[in-house]
């Protein structure tokens, strides 16, 4: 309502009161008041007020207005109304919809309300009219000027009143009226306004007004400061926004893709955060600039983008905190693995040295052993013990240097090498990286992966590893590399020199049983969502699985077979079969089908021309029956089975020995002229490379030519020379294990290998008679079944 309350200045404020009465209709005002001399619009809605108004209209249009102390009070008593009010004349009256009335009143004079006479149907009051003396001295004039100028400032600052109201003040010469006029315009509390009304002395009234104005100005000033501060802050972000929008518009005008720029900006920001070395950062930012200049969607842009994505994905500075706590490492290794005491010990020693030297420099661990013996899981445990990330990749079949070192970006679809890929997967600068099958790399015209790997593993060079794709050096010095191999012999020599080889041998049946019971079965049970007591697999069943369904040095197939048992059991449980599902030796076939391997040895009786050898295979030791048949002919030698060159040479050597010793062995010395010899090594699926079958071939040959049977329960291993000396072989432990598994009783080994027996666990030797032999004659003595002992005369 106050908005259009531009009270006009009335010239005749001291107009005589035309009607004087005892009782006046009274209208309480809420949140406002009317000063004498002001014309003010009001809206009337309360019933009593309307009644009062009507009463005034039927008489002399005069009534009393007084402010309520509390605007909230609906039906005020005398105490709720200020004592000093205003006598007004109603100038205009307009009825509004909903029974409201709008009036225009003109203040005539200040009045004091003496008493309230009635309150219904409207208030009436006894009053006293107050007249005020308007003296104009210098001081008053000064106060007037000051009030006017303060008010002008107020209007300008508040921006809520039109400037004209200031101009209209010039026409007022009476100090009291000026004060009332200004006070009526101010947006201040009713209490303050009432105070002005109640101050009869004009000088005092002006002083009070000046105080109120100064106070208001101060507040306005403060408000202004705050808003400028806020605006200043807003301005900057608005400015940036505005500039960016303009930039967008310009790019749109130029027909450029604006998403591209957002992308470029994002690349730049990400690169800043990577913690790159200055050179690398420069290179990366240069690539972003290159991308900027390229039309989007071209093949080259795709290449650059791919490159940048790789840079961003790599852990340039992120790393996990190392925690080399040997006790904890030991408990983790023990918890994850049964047995392997020596291996664990070596690993812990290795870690202890790393801890003392505080560096990852030094030899690389290389775990050597057949598949499934826990090499990978040992490496995983090492990572867990060190609190490092773990990644692995296989070098098996890697023949191209680029697989290690990446392709140059000139190739379409080029990628970084496996090392950098692993670093990305690890998301940390210091993971444990397991390089599987280092012995299975090969090199050809595409470069030598082994030499690239050498650089990766070399602590002197790998802090600035060069990947062809990346083009910038990457620091691998914090990485802990662990390698695995099936056969240390096949690791390229320069690589082997850098490694600390730890042999992880195959397991005996007893060990396998323990691993199955303690680790594999609980693990698989959980993996298949089963609970203890759901499935029962007895120890004899496990042993049957080990013997008849797997044939391996490790436990990988054992684990797989157990997994398939649990899978089938889970299916039965879901199908509603009663728990527990019992798997016994008798119903094993129902679950796993017929056994894949017959336990025991192929031969169970002595045979002529058939000797049992021991071989090393990647899945552990095994036995092999070598057969020789002699037929009439012209001295030909035929070899069948999957034989390598080395084995063929062994066959030749065996033949030469036999000819050399023919007479002593009771063999026709000229057999070579009229006999053809055929040597067969069956079970060709398992590669049997190596010279260690030499004495076996010779035994079978002698047996065939002399018609003396070979004892079925004897197996042998050893290389043979032309004169019949027995030379040492490798993989003794695995071979003995194979013999034990096959039910062999006596094993002939080269004398030179005798000291290796110390390394062989007692369990394996249990039930085996191991006889070290130095010469072929001794071999024959033990292997051939003869009625009367052959006597050798050297
Ligand atoms: P490798 O890497 O030597 O081929 P893995 O590490 O993959 O063999 O082992 C195959 C499985 O056998 C894994 O589940 C592993 O946990 C388990 N395993 C192997 N050796 C042991 C052991 N000594 N104790 C417990 N589990 C073992």
């Amino acid at each position: 309502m106050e908005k259009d309350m531009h009270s006009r200045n009335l010239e005749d404020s001291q107009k005589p009161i035309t009607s004087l009465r005892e009782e006046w209709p009274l209208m309480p005002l809420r949140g406002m008041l009317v000063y004498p001399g002001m014309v003010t619009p009001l809206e009337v809605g309360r019933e009593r007020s309307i009644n009062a108004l009507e009463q005034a209209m039927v008489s002399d249009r005069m009534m009393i207005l007084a402010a309520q102390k509390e605007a909230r009070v609906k039906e005020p008593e005398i105490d709720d109304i200020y004592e000093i009010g205003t006598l007004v004349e109603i100038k205009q009256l307009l009825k509004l919809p909903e029974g409201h009335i709008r009036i225009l009143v003109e203040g005539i004079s200040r009045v004091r309300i003496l008493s309230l006479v009635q309150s219904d149907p409207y208030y009436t009051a006894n009053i006293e009219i107050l007249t005020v003396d308007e003296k104009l001295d210098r001081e008053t004039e000064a106060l007037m000027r000051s009030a006017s100028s303060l008010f002008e400032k107020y209007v300008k600052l508040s921006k809520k009143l039109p400037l004209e109201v200031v101009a209209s003040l010039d026409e007022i010469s009476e100090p009291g009226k000026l004060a009332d006029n200004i006070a009526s315009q101010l947006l201040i509390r009713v209490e303050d306004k009432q105070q002005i009304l109640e101050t009869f002395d004009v000088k005092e009234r002006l002083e009070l007004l000046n105080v109120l104005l100064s106070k208001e100005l101060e507040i306005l000033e403060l408000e202004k400061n705050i808003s400028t501060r806020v605006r200043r802050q807003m301005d900057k972000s608005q400015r940036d926004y505005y500039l960016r929008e303009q930039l967008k518009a310009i790019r749109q005008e130029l027909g450029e893709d604006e998403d591209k720029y957002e992308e470029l900006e994002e690349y730049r920001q990400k690169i800043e955060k990577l913690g790159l070395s200055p050179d690398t950062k420069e290179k990366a930012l240069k690539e972003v600039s290159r991308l900027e200049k390229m039309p989007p969607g071209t093949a080259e842009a795709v290449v650059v983008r791919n490159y940048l994505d790789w840079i961003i994905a790599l852990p340039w500075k992120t790393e996990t905190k190392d925690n080399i706590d040997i006790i904890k490492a030991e408990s983790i290794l023990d918890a994850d693995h049964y047995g392997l005491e020596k291996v664990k010990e070596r690993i812990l020693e290795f870690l202890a040295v790393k801890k003392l030297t505080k560096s990852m420099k030094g030899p690389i661990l290389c775990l050597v052993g057949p598949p499934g013996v826990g090499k990978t899981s040992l490496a995983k445990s090492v990572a867990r013990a060190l609190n490092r990330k773990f990644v692995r990749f296989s070098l098996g079949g890697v023949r191209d240097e680029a697989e290690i070192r990446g392709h140059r970006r000139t190739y379409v679809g080029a990628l970084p090498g496996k090392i950098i890929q692993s670093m990305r997967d690890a998301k940390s600068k210091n993971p444990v990286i397991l390089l599987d099958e280092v012995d299975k790399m090969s090199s050809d015209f595409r470069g030598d992966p082994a030499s690239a790997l050498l650089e990766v593993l070399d602590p002197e060079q790998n802090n600035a590893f060069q990947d062809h794709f990346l083009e910038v050096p990457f620091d691998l010095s914090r990485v802990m590399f662990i390698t695995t191999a099936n056969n240390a012999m096949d690791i390229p020599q320069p690589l082997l020199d850098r490694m600390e080889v730890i042999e992880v041998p195959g397991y005996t049946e007893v060990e396998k049983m323990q691993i199955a019971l303690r680790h594999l079965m609980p693990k698989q049970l959980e993996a298949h969502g089963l609970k203890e007591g759901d499935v029962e697999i007895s120890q004899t069943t496990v042993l049957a699985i080990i013997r008849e369904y797997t044939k391996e040095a490790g436990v990988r197939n054992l684990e797989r077979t157990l997994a398939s048992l649990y899978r089938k059991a889970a299916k039965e449980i879901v199908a509603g079969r009663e728990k527990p599902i019992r798997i016994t030796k008798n119903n094993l076939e129902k679950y796993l089908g017929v056994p894949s391997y017959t336990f025991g040895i192929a031969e169970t009786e002595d045979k002529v021309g058939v000797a049992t050898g021991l071989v090393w295979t990647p899945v552990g030791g095994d036995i092999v029956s070598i057969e020789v048949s002699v037929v009439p002919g012209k001295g030909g030698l035929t070899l069948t089975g999957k034989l390598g060159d080395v084995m063929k040479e062994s066959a030749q050597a065996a033949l030469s020995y036999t000819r050399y010793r023919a007479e002593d062995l009771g063999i026709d010395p000229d057999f070579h002229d009229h006999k053809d010899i055929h040597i067969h090594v069956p079970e060709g699926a398992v590669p049997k490379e190596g010279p260690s079958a030499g004495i076996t071939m010779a035994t079978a040959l002698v047996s065939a030519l002399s018609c003396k049977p070979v004892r079925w329960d004897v197996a042998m291993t050893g290389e043979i020379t032309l004169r019949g000396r027995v030379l040492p072989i490798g993989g003794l432990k695995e071979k003995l294990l194979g013999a034990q598994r096959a039910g062999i009783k006596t094993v002939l080994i080269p004398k030179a290998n005798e000291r290796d027996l110390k390394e062989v666990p007692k369990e394996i030797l249990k039930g085996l008679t191991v006889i070290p032999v130095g010469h072929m004659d001794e071999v024959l003595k033990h292997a051939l079944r003869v009625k009367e002992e052959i006597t050798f005369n050297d």
Side-chain angles (χ1 to χ4, degrees):
M1 197 197 289
E2 277 177 299
K3 257 210 166 132
D4 41 6
M5 204 181 73
H6 302 154
S7 313
R8 264 190 304 117
N9 186 8
L10 292 184
E11 276 163 29
D12 48 355
S13 71
Q14 294 302 308
K15 176 170 134 177
I17 295 149
T18 45
S19 161
L20 279 176
R21 291 179 268 151
E22 289 281 295
E23 260 180 62
W24 298 79
L26 168 74
M27 183 154 83
L29 295 179
R30 290 192 288 189
M32 65 170 299
L33 51 79
V34 177
Y35 289 103
M38 299 293 120
V39 173
T40 312
L42 293 173
E43 202 160 299
V44 185
R46 286 191 281 189
E47 198 185 331
R48 281 206 187 93
S49 300
I50 290 174
N51 290 342
L53 199 58
E54 273 166 2
Q55 174 57 36
M57 289 306 280
V58 294
S59 60
D60 52 7
R61 301 181 141 220
M62 307 274 255
M63 67 190 299
I64 308 297
L65 300 183
Q68 262 176 238
K69 291 176 187 166
E70 296 269 357
R72 278 173 299 148
V73 179
K74 273 225 177 96
E75 305 198 341
E77 303 284 322
I78 182 86
D79 289 343
D80 296 324
I81 299 170
Y82 283 114
E83 192 189 6
I84 306 298
T86 318
L87 175 69
V88 299
E89 184 184 353
I90 300 153
K91 291 279 188 192
Q92 253 178 31
L93 185 142
L94 181 68
K95 293 213 160 140
L96 297 175
E98 289 172 34
H100 285 210
I101 299 174
R102 179 172 298 159
I103 53 172
L104 200 63
V105 297
E106 181 184 349
I108 308 292
S109 166
R110 287 172 161 77
V111 295
R112 183 188 307 273
I113 298 169
L114 300 171
S115 63
L116 214 55
V117 181
Q118 68 167 50
S119 44
D120 282 311
Y122 52 89
Y123 296 110
T124 57
N126 287 326
I127 57 149
E128 173 192 0
I129 295 187
L130 305 164
T131 45
V132 179
D133 196 10
E134 301 251 355
K135 277 201 308 278
L136 193 67
D137 54 20
R138 285 235 174 94
E139 209 183 334
T140 319
E141 207 167 333
L143 283 168
M144 284 172 76
R145 275 191 209 168
S146 151
S148 296
S149 87
L150 284 175
F151 182 61
E152 188 176 345
K153 271 192 204 155
Y154 174 85
V155 172
K156 281 181 182 161
L157 261 179
S158 85
K159 296 206 176 86
K160 288 200 179 110
L161 298 172
L163 266 177
E164 294 88 78
V165 298
V166 181
S168 70
L169 292 181
D170 293 346
E171 293 161 22
I172 307 173
S173 52
E174 303 96 319
K177 196 169 165 189
L178 182 81
D180 287 351
N181 195 319
I182 291 179
S184 75
Q185 319 256 15
L186 293 183
L187 307 174
I188 53 175
R189 295 179 308 159
V190 185
E191 289 97 304
D192 293 333
K193 286 199 171 189
Q194 180 71 26
Q195 242 193 318
I196 297 273
L197 189 69
E198 288 178 6
T199 311
F200 306 127
D201 186 279
V202 288
K203 209 190 281 174
E204 268 176 40
R205 197 186 304 166
L206 277 167
E207 271 166 8
L208 179 63
L209 181 70
N210 273 318
V211 171
L212 282 175
L213 273 169
S214 312
K215 206 168 85 189
E216 283 304 303
L217 273 173
E218 213 171 293
I219 294 172
L220 283 176
E221 202 69 56
L222 266 175
E223 272 177 11
K224 193 180 138 194
N225 283 348
I226 293 171
S227 80
T228 16
R229 214 172 322 134
V230 171
R231 189 157 339 109
R232 217 178 297 131
Q233 279 165 6
M234 261 174 49
D235 279 354
K236 185 175 157 20
S237 60
Q238 247 170 3
R239 182 174 158 272
D240 289 359
Y241 173 77
Y242 176 72
L243 285 177
R244 227 173 274 131
E245 288 297 305
Q246 264 193 336
L247 202 63
K248 259 193 210 170
I250 292 170
R251 280 172 184 152
Q252 260 165 8
E253 276 307 305
L254 290 172
E256 287 176 3
D257 179 7
E258 145 219 329
D259 287 349
K260 177 177 151 186
Y261 288 90
E262 262 167 38
E263 185 198 10
L264 291 170
E265 195 46 41
E266 211 172 293
Y267 273 135
R268 289 199 176 102
Q269 280 173 13
K270 282 186 180 160
I271 288 169
E272 289 294 337
K273 286 191 203 134
L274 286 176
L276 300 174
S277 72
D279 286 352
T280 307
K281 187 157 115 188
E282 193 189 321
K283 160 91 183 146
L285 289 174
K286 221 185 209 159
E287 291 293 325
V288 180
S289 305
R290 271 187 61 204
L291 185 61
E292 191 165 11
K293 291 187 200 98
M294 284 173 194
T298 57
E300 217 184 342
V302 173
V303 169
V304 175
R305 205 171 281 129
N306 183 26
Y307 175 79
L308 288 170
D309 289 341
W310 269 101
I311 293 276
I312 286 165
L314 288 175
W316 297 89
K317 64 170 181 196
T318 333
E319 61 178 16
T320 51
K321 202 167 170 313
D322 260 352
N323 170 27
I324 307 191
D325 175 348
I326 298 296
I327 308 286
K328 188 179 150 222
E330 187 172 5
S331 67
I332 287 181
L333 282 173
D334 281 342
D336 294 352
H337 302 94
Y338 171 82
L340 298 174
E341 301 310 336
K342 265 203 187 139
V343 178
K344 288 181 199 164
E345 191 63 35
R346 289 278 304 275
I347 292 178
L348 291 175
E349 284 164 15
F350 181 87
L351 294 179
V353 173
K354 295 264 174 231
K355 182 175 178 154
L356 288 180
T357 56
K358 290 197 180 63
S359 107
M360 279 298 144
K361 289 191 179 171
I364 309 288
L365 264 190
C366 179
L367 303 171
V368 175
V373 291
K375 300 184 296 296
T376 311
S377 86
L378 280 169
K380 263 189 203 158
S381 296
V382 169
R384 194 151 78 88
L386 290 177
N387 189 31
R388 287 183 174 214
K389 293 272 170 50
F390 178 81
V391 271
R392 61 177 283 196
F393 67 88
S394 175
L395 290 161
V398 167
R399 47 179 66 226
D400 187 348
E401 190 193 349
E403 286 189 54
I404 306 285
R405 222 194 256 287
H407 285 282
R408 295 197 187 283
R409 278 197 285 149
T410 42
Y411 291 99
V412 178
L415 279 180
K418 290 194 170 190
I419 298 285
I420 292 296
Q421 293 186 25
S422 310
M423 291 310 290
R424 180 199 55 182
D425 295 345
K427 296 192 184 69
S428 141
K429 215 179 143 187
N430 61 342
V432 170
I433 296 188
L434 182 72
L435 305 168
D436 257 339
E437 307 193 302
V438 266
D439 53 341
K440 302 276 163 38
M441 268 184 309
S442 50
S443 60
D444 61 11
F445 63 94
R446 279 169 290 197
D448 182 5
S451 68
L453 198 60
L454 213 54
E455 190 190 318
V456 170
L457 300 180
D458 183 356
E460 301 303 322
Q461 295 184 54
N462 71 5
N463 59 350
F465 171 67
Q466 290 281 349
D467 183 281
H468 290 324
F469 177 88
L470 227 49
E471 290 172 5
V472 289
F474 191 88
D475 181 8
L476 296 176
S477 64
R478 316 268 305 128
V479 178
M480 176 169 182
F481 289 102
I482 299 182
T483 57
T484 77
N486 289 147
N487 189 354
M489 308 280 239
D490 295 339
I491 303 175
Q493 194 60 40
L495 272 177
L496 193 59
D497 289 347
R498 291 213 157 64
M499 293 180 185
E500 178 164 341
V501 173
I502 298 182
E503 300 262 2
V504 191
Y507 298 113
T508 61
E509 259 172 19
V510 180
E511 284 173 324
K512 283 186 189 176
M513 175 83 103
Q514 290 303 326
I515 292 173
L517 295 176
R518 292 174 195 216
H519 294 273
L520 307 181
M521 286 161 70
K523 198 157 79 182
Q524 291 301 329
L525 195 71
E526 196 189 322
H528 288 84
L530 297 166
K531 285 189 293 296
E532 216 168 312
D534 285 354
V535 186
E536 267 179 23
I537 304 178
S538 69
Q539 292 205 15
T540 39
T541 319
V542 176
L543 190 64
I545 297 171
I546 294 172
R547 287 181 170 176
E548 291 165 30
Y549 290 88
T550 66
K551 186 171 193 175
E552 55 175 351
V555 289
R556 192 173 288 168
N557 285 328
L558 177 58
E559 183 168 29
R560 212 174 285 151
T561 312
L562 286 167
S564 90
L565 274 185
Y566 284 122
R567 199 166 51 237
K568 290 182 171 140
K571 191 179 141 210
E572 288 185 353
I573 288 173
V574 172
R577 222 188 106 178
E578 204 181 314
K579 289 192 259 187
I581 307 287
R582 285 201 177 83
I583 299 172
T584 64
K585 203 163 170 259
N586 297 332
N587 66 8
L588 200 54
E589 256 189 68
K590 190 183 116 203
Y591 290 96
L592 298 178
V594 286
S596 321
Y597 307 98
T598 42
F599 179 70
I601 55 172
E603 313 293 338
T604 47
E605 56 187 66
D606 299 348
K607 279 190 178 153
V608 171
V610 179
T612 307
L614 293 174
V615 290
W616 182 93
T617 75
V619 296
D622 201 356
I623 59 159
V624 62
S625 293
I626 295 182
E627 296 169 20
V628 173
S629 69
V630 181
V631 290
K634 291 198 196 81
L637 174 65
T638 317
L639 293 162
T640 52
K642 204 178 166 198
L643 302 171
D645 289 341
V646 182
M647 226 172 190
K648 284 178 190 154
E649 283 161 18
S650 289
Q652 288 288 354
L655 186 59
S656 298
Y657 162 79
T658 313
R659 287 176 68 184
Y660 164 67
R661 296 288 285 179
E663 228 167 307
D664 301 324
L665 295 169
I667 299 169
D668 172 11
D670 300 323
F671 74 88
H672 195 59
D673 295 337
H674 46 85
K675 296 251 159 60
D676 276 353
I677 293 165
H678 182 179
I679 302 182
H680 179 67
V681 185
E683 283 196 42
V686 193
K688 299 164 206 73
E689 183 56 289
S692 68
I695 61 170
T696 321
M697 288 197 224
T699 306
L701 192 59
V702 171
S703 160
L705 287 167
S706 65
C707 291
K708 289 176 185 134
V710 184
R711 291 172 52 170
W712 67 268
D713 58 351
V714 174
M716 62 202 77
T717 177
E719 185 177 350
I720 186 174
T721 69
L722 299 180
R723 299 287 166 108
R725 274 196 304 129
V726 179
L727 300 185
I729 44 82
L732 183 67
K733 187 197 147 177
E734 284 82 4
K735 287 177 177 173
L736 291 178
L737 198 54
Q740 190 215 40
R741 252 201 307 260
I744 296 283
K745 300 278 183 313
T746 308
V747 179
L748 310 180
I749 64 163
K751 207 168 194 91
N753 283 110
E754 197 176 356
R755 59 196 156 114
D756 299 340
L757 281 175
K758 286 203 295 287
E759 304 282 314
V760 179
K762 298 233 163 21
E763 260 164 41
I764 299 181
L765 296 175
K766 215 160 62 189
L768 277 184
T769 310
V770 180
I771 305 173
V773 289
H775 197 273
M776 194 58 212
D777 296 348
E778 293 170 63
V779 175
L780 294 176
K781 196 169 98 190
H782 293 289
L784 294 183
R785 181 86 69 190
V786 277
K787 298 251 162 51
E788 68 282 21
E789 288 290 310
I790 305 173
T791 46
F792 294 101
N793 37 5
D794 280 297

